[in-house]
Amino acid sequence: MPPSLVLRGARTAPGAGPVDLPITGDRIGGDIAGSTEVVDAGGRLVLPGLWDAHVHFDQWTLAQAALDLSGATSAAHAVALVAARLAGDPAPVVVAHGFRDGLWPDTPTAAALDAIAPARPVVAFSADLHSAWFNTAALQRFSLHPHPTGLLRETEFMPLMNEIQRVDPEVRDRLVDSAARAAAARGVVGVVDFEIADTLAAWRRRIGAGTRHLRVRCGIWPRWLDAAIAAGMRTGDVVPGTAGLATVGPLKVIVDGSLGTRTAYCHDPYPDGGHGVLSVPPERLEPLMRHAHEHGVESAIHAIGDHACEHVLDAFAATGARGSVEHAQFVAERDFPRFAWSGVTASIQPAHVYDDVDLAERYWPGRTHRAFPYGTLHAAGARLVLGSDAPVAPLDPWRTLAAAIDRTLPRARTGPAGGAGRVHRWSCPRRRRRRRRPGGARRGHAAPLRCGAGRDAGVGHDARRTLDARAASLSG
C-alpha cells in the first residue's frame, strides 16, 4: 500500500536533521514512492500526539459560553460583572464561571446577587467546580431555598451541574465537536473524560454523528458503574459503535474537596478551623473500588488534601485495585514512596499552580513544600500522567507542560512560583530507575513520562528529548 501522505523535511528531535516521514493509513512508515500527497514541514518539529488525562469535557465546552469571572478581585467586582451581563443574556438561568473567592476581601452571598437580579436566577460556578454561588431566585428554581448564604459547596450542588446548564443534546454535541476540534489543533489526540454523566452513551452518540477528532477514555461515575458491569464492559474495552475511538475508562470517585473551596481534606486544620470535607470515607470507598476491580474496572480517585490522599492509597492497598490518584496536590512525606511501591499513578494538573500558589501559602502555611509535588513524586518513582482538569484550567497541553517544567507564572507575575513551586519543578531524564518494592521485588520497567494515558499518549521518546533540552538545569 503506497503512503497516503509524506511529511517532507520534518525533524523528530531538537537539533536533528530533517527527514521525510511517509504516513500509510494510521502508521508512520512505508515506501515514499507513490505517495498521493506531499506536505512540506519546513523543518518543523514532529512529536507524538498528546493526551489530556483529566477533562470534564461538557463543563469545558459550556464554560466557553458562560460569563467569565476569573478576573474578579472581590465579590463586589463579580456582582458588577454579572450586572453588566444581564441585559444581553437571554438564557433562563444566567450562568457565570471561574470565580476564586479564597483571596477575596468580601464574601459571596445570595443577597449581593439579589441586589442586581431580584427575580432572575443567577448561578456562578467556582473555578474549581467545588462550589457555586446562587441568588435567591436560583435557589428557589432548583429547590434549594432557604439557604443561609447562597454559597453551596461540594455535594450540596454538584448533582445539579447539568440541570443548571441545561442545553439540548444536539446543541451540546455541536459545541463539544467544536471544542474537540480546537483541542486537536493544539496537538491533543485523546482525553480522559470525567464528566458527571453517562459518558459511554454520550461519546457513542457523538462519534456516531461524526465527532472523530479525538480518542476518548470514558470515565464511569458510581451511578453508572453497575450498568457498565452488566454490559460486560471492562477498562480498556472499545465502546461499541465508536470505530475504536472511545474506550471504557476508570471508575471516578471524589473523596474530598479542593484547595480553592477550602474543602480539601487535610491532616492539619485550616487557619480558620476545620480539616476540609471527606465526602467518601474509607468504609464506603473500599467496597466500591473492590466491586469495580473484581469486574475489571480500574479506579481514578480524586484526592487533593494530604489526609484524603493517604486514605486513597490505603484503599488501593486494601482492595488490590489498579488506577490513579487524581490531583495528588498535597501529599504527606511518608506517602510519596507509596505511589511507586503500589503502582498507583499520580494523575496531576500542573497548571493549577498558576492559580493556587497564593491559596496554598494562605491555607497550608508552613507546609507548601509538600504542595504541587510533581518533581518529588517523580523522584520517588511514581508514574505521572498530566492533564488540565478543564475547565478548571484551559485544555492546553503546552500550558500544562510549561507549568510542570518551568513553574513560570503568566501575565504580570514573573519568575517561578513561590514556596509551593520552586523545589517541585519537573526535570525529564530519558531513563529513571524504578524503586524496589518492599522485599526486593521489582515492579514493571523504566517507563516514559506521559502527558496522558493510553497507547497514543505521551511525552514519548522524541518528545522527552524536547523537554530534556529545556529541563536539563532544573531540579527534580
Side-chain angles (χ1 to χ4, degrees):
M1 175 188 229
S4 56
L5 173 68
V6 172
L7 293 179
R8 177 159 291 161
R11 292 182 300 116
T12 58
V19 297
D20 294 340
L21 298 177
I23 300 174
T24 306
D26 61 356
R27 303 290 177 184
I28 296 176
D31 187 355
I32 291 178
S35 62
T36 57
E37 183 180 2
V38 176
V39 174
D40 187 356
R44 292 178 177 85
L45 194 63
V46 176
L47 301 176
L50 302 175
W51 277 65
D52 189 314
H54 191 121
V55 176
H56 305 274
F57 212 93
D58 289 28
Q59 293 295 325
W60 164 244
T61 298
L62 295 171
Q64 310 310 298
L67 171 63
D68 182 8
L69 295 182
S70 62
T73 56
S74 66
H77 185 191
V79 168
L81 294 173
V82 173
R85 173 83 168 206
L86 288 173
D89 192 332
V93 179
V94 177
V95 177
H97 188 279
F99 76 86
R100 300 178 184 276
D101 64 321
L103 301 174
W104 283 359
D106 50 0
T107 302
T109 63
L113 289 173
D114 291 346
I116 58 155
R120 192 169 178 196
V122 175
V123 180
F125 289 91
S126 65
D128 57 23
L129 298 180
H130 282 258
S131 62
W133 177 14
F134 293 68
N135 69 348
T136 299
L139 290 170
Q140 292 170 339
R141 181 184 180 96
F142 297 107
S143 301
L144 299 168
H145 186 72
H147 189 275
T149 65
L151 185 64
L152 284 70
R153 301 179 183 224
E154 306 299 338
T155 55
E156 286 184 302
F157 87 95
M158 280 185 176
L160 293 171
M161 276 188 182
N162 287 326
E163 180 65 22
I164 292 166
Q165 301 180 101
R166 178 173 288 279
V167 177
D168 289 340
E170 297 81 3
V171 174
R172 185 178 294 220
D173 286 354
R174 285 199 298 271
L175 295 172
V176 165
D177 183 83
S178 178
R181 189 185 301 272
R186 292 187 176 95
V188 176
V189 298
V191 298
V192 183
D193 186 11
F194 288 127
E195 186 64 37
I196 305 178
D198 184 353
T199 56
L200 296 168
W203 283 103
R204 182 188 297 118
R205 182 183 69 246
R206 292 163 182 170
I207 292 170
T211 297
R212 301 193 170 197
H213 316 297
L214 300 172
R215 297 181 183 274
V216 182
R217 292 186 73 207
C218 302
I220 305 172
W221 290 77
R223 174 180 170 185
W224 293 278
L225 177 61
D226 283 338
I229 289 172
M233 293 186 173
R234 302 166 67 91
T235 295
D237 288 351
V238 171
V239 178
T242 64
L245 292 177
T247 55
V248 179
L251 167 71
K252 175 65 188 297
V253 182
I254 295 178
V255 303
D256 76 334
S258 70
L259 170 59
T261 301
R262 282 79 70 202
T263 47
Y265 190 61
C266 301
H267 286 288
D268 297 299
Y270 287 86
D272 56 355
H275 291 259
V277 173
L278 186 64
S279 302
V280 181
E283 59 269 22
R284 288 173 49 204
L285 178 63
E286 290 183 13
L288 189 57
M289 290 175 62
R290 185 174 290 109
H291 179 54
H293 177 59
E294 289 171 350
H295 291 88
V297 178
E298 295 182 0
S299 293
I301 313 299
H302 165 119
I304 288 182
D306 56 356
H307 203 171
C309 191
E310 179 185 89
H311 279 318
V312 173
L313 290 170
D314 288 346
F316 273 107
T319 62
R322 298 177 59 83
S324 60
V325 174
E326 299 294 318
H327 306 302
Q329 193 167 309
F330 190 39
V331 180
E333 295 282 3
R334 60 182 173 273
D335 286 332
F336 287 115
R338 295 181 67 192
F339 283 86
W341 294 341
S342 64
V344 175
T345 295
S347 176
I348 61 174
Q349 300 75 40
H352 288 351
V353 74
Y354 291 151
D355 301 304
D356 285 355
V357 63
D358 289 336
L359 290 169
E361 296 286 355
R362 172 174 290 192
Y363 295 108
W364 294 336
R367 303 186 297 278
T368 55
H369 61 285
R370 296 190 280 110
F372 317 102
Y374 312 138
T376 304
L377 283 165
H378 172 53
R383 177 179 183 267
L384 306 180
V385 297
L386 277 64
S388 62
D389 201 13
V392 182
L395 206 172
D396 183 345
W398 308 109
R399 190 175 190 268
T400 295
L401 289 170
I405 296 169
D406 290 339
R407 284 288 167 97
T408 52
L409 295 171
R411 305 186 191 96
R413 297 182 64 183
T414 59
R422 292 185 190 278
V423 300
H424 295 301
R425 293 179 296 181
W426 185 10
S427 65
C428 298
R430 288 185 180 85
R431 298 181 64 85
R432 59 188 170 88
R433 183 174 301 168
R434 301 291 296 185
R435 286 217 169 194
R436 292 185 180 272
R437 301 171 87 183
R442 187 175 179 82
R443 184 188 183 280
H445 56 276
L449 304 176
R450 295 190 179 276
C451 182
R455 189 172 58 186
D456 298 319
V459 179
H461 178 71
D462 292 326
R464 286 206 314 284
R465 283 191 258 175
T466 304
L467 301 182
D468 289 345
R470 300 182 61 204
S473 65
L474 300 177
S475 68

